[in-house]
Amino acid sequence: MKLGIVGLPNVGKSTLFNAITNAGAESANYPFCTIDPNVGMVAVPDARLDKLSEMYHPKKTTPAVIEFVDIAGLVKGASKGEGLGNKFLGNIRATDAIVHVVRCFDDDNVIHVEGNTDPVRDMDTIDLELVMADLEMVERRIEKANKAAKGDKKFLHEAQVFSGLRDWLNDGQSARTYLPQVDEDDAALIATSELLSLKPVIYAANLDEEGFSHPHEVGYYQQVEARAREQGAQVIPVCAKLEEEIAQLEPEEKQMFLDDLGVPESGLDRLVKASYTLLGLISFLTSGEDECRAWTITRGTKAPQAAGKIHSDFERGFIRAEVVSYDDLMACGTMAAAREKGLIRSEGKEYVVQDGDIILFRFNV
């Protein structure tokens, strides 16, 4: 999973990126500090994996990972090449989803590229640039379909579908919000295009420390929530500066720090959960003395394809999956006790893997 962190210059993108990846992206109080995308791999926090490691004491514990890409700050006119526009837009195309960082704090010491804090204006600026870039691509798609229709009439429908999308985009609305307006086949056709405004979005509202403890009482945060609600998008509160501090702490210290703040989990933990929900992802687990590991799959994946995540031979020679749910294993205490109670199931090729399944795959090649 690759998430692109975007936003206007100086909204806290690189500070947040540094905090959650510890990758050391330069963070400075001027626009375009980030010119090449910084990339960092982040371990997905998973208490279930921690518990399995306590049970098995394996040689290695391997969490699932998310790739974060810190992308150069966008300015108005990026779709026309302003600022680092073309580079910015190209880098977003390579991501699965967008984490749009929105500034929700006032600080005279941190320059705002537009002169003052206005989260809705900032959200609209970036959203509009993505839409404008998409309009060019849609125009080219219509032109190509119309040419192809001279030899094959089936392309006329494609031209019609993208013409409807063009009208929608011309009203300043994202391709993402257009999909519910069309049937399943037309939505699938639109999804074949690499449109920026099709990508799912999480808005990360960057608050100061006080606001992070009580985000729903902050006017700026309420504005972000209202706009995201219109789009059917998720919002999570973060405090990039606090995340930097949290990143330096040991797990026990981290929890104490969060408890003192009166918040249940860090911005990173919230971001990871929101990302999994957004992209329809779940994790299954494998366990043993050699390794305990979490594997990320799409919700609805069947057992052979889940096995293929581990190795292609597992999928090719799939015989069966021996499955126990995490909750059942914890209730029994050991795998042997779970087996005695008949809680380890033998599942075949049609079994749909569930979040938290602990699986041993049997295969033969």
Side-chain angles (χ1 to χ4, degrees):
M1 174 164 53
K2 182 185 281 190
L3 302 180
I5 302 179
V6 307
L8 290 170
N10 292 350
V11 296
K13 295 186 327 303
S14 294
T15 304
L16 181 62
F17 176 82
N18 289 352
I20 60 181
T21 66
N22 282 319
E26 186 188 356
S27 178
N29 185 21
Y30 56 89
F32 309 127
C33 162
T34 311
I35 295 173
D36 292 311
N38 294 279
V39 179
M41 305 300 286
V42 180
V44 175
D46 193 331
R48 300 170 303 190
L49 185 63
D50 298 338
K51 280 285 186 187
L52 283 179
S53 293
E54 288 174 18
M55 285 178 66
Y56 284 92
H57 303 289
K59 296 171 187 171
K60 187 164 67 165
T61 298
T62 309
V65 294
I66 295 178
E67 185 176 338
F68 282 95
V69 184
D70 178 29
I71 297 169
L74 177 78
V75 292
K76 198 178 290 182
S79 59
K80 303 297 181 188
E82 292 293 324
L84 297 167
N86 293 331
K87 197 174 186 68
F88 171 96
L89 297 170
N91 290 331
I92 295 178
R93 265 184 233 289
T95 63
D96 297 309
I98 296 170
V99 178
H100 182 165
V101 182
V102 186
R103 178 168 165 171
C104 291
F105 64 89
D106 291 314
D107 187 341
D108 293 338
N109 296 316
V110 180
I111 301 162
H112 192 295
V113 73
E114 294 286 352
N116 66 310
T117 304
D118 184 339
V120 172
R121 177 203 60 210
D122 295 353
M123 292 165 77
D124 288 350
T125 295
I126 286 198
D127 289 347
L128 188 57
E129 292 304 325
L130 300 184
V131 166
M132 296 282 284
D134 283 350
L135 263 170
E136 289 187 24
M137 289 192 71
V138 168
E139 288 285 6
R140 288 199 295 270
R141 185 74 178 252
I142 295 167
E143 188 179 333
K144 185 178 175 183
N146 279 327
K147 281 183 182 175
K150 291 174 182 175
D152 189 340
K153 295 297 182 189
K154 73 177 183 183
F155 287 100
L156 282 174
H157 179 68
E158 181 174 327
Q160 290 169 353
V161 170
F162 280 93
S163 293
L165 175 58
R166 176 187 59 195
D167 295 343
W168 186 266
L169 294 172
N170 267 322
D171 286 337
Q173 301 179 88
S174 70
R176 191 172 59 255
T177 58
Y178 185 64
L179 293 188
Q181 315 297 320
V182 298
D183 65 29
E184 198 173 313
D185 289 341
D186 289 351
L189 179 61
I190 291 169
T192 62
S193 58
E194 289 190 336
L195 299 180
L196 298 171
S197 69
L198 264 184
K199 292 189 182 294
V201 176
I202 298 169
Y203 290 104
N206 188 18
L207 300 139
D208 57 22
E209 186 173 333
E210 184 181 348
F212 182 62
S213 297
H214 305 92
H216 297 284
E217 297 173 15
V218 178
Y220 291 146
Y221 184 80
Q222 293 167 4
Q223 292 171 29
V224 175
E225 270 197 316
R227 179 50 57 92
R229 201 177 300 118
E230 292 172 10
Q231 301 177 1
Q234 294 187 64
V235 182
I236 57 163
V238 299
C239 175
K241 282 195 171 285
L242 276 179
E243 291 296 327
E244 275 194 312
E245 293 179 40
I246 292 169
Q248 309 303 318
L249 301 175
E250 295 298 323
E252 299 80 11
E253 295 175 317
K254 171 184 165 181
Q255 196 52 56
M256 287 173 61
F257 186 85
L258 292 170
D259 289 344
D260 287 345
L261 284 172
V263 294
E265 55 191 351
S266 71
L268 172 58
D269 291 349
R270 292 175 181 179
L271 184 54
V272 168
K273 287 179 181 177
S275 303
Y276 267 62
T277 301
L278 187 72
L279 295 173
L281 301 175
I282 60 171
S283 292
F284 73 90
L285 306 155
T286 53
S287 60
E289 292 178 1
D290 284 335
E291 183 182 34
C292 288
R293 182 162 181 169
W295 304 85
T296 301
I297 55 172
T298 304
R299 189 177 295 281
T301 299
K302 292 183 178 179
Q305 288 68 51
K309 276 281 181 181
I310 300 174
H311 197 286
S312 57
D313 284 351
F314 284 30
E315 181 175 359
R316 190 157 51 92
F318 179 88
I319 298 172
R320 67 180 183 276
E322 295 179 5
V323 184
V324 60
S325 77
Y326 170 80
D327 290 338
D328 284 346
L329 178 60
M330 289 301 112
C332 293
T334 67
M335 199 66 84
R339 193 177 295 279
E340 278 179 26
K341 292 186 177 181
L343 295 173
I344 297 178
R345 313 182 310 276
S346 182
E347 301 285 2
K349 291 184 177 180
E350 294 304 308
Y351 177 68
V352 176
V353 175
Q354 302 299 304
D355 188 43
D357 277 352
I358 300 165
I359 307 179
L360 173 65
F361 292 105
R362 301 291 185 185
F363 71 103
N364 183 33
V365 289

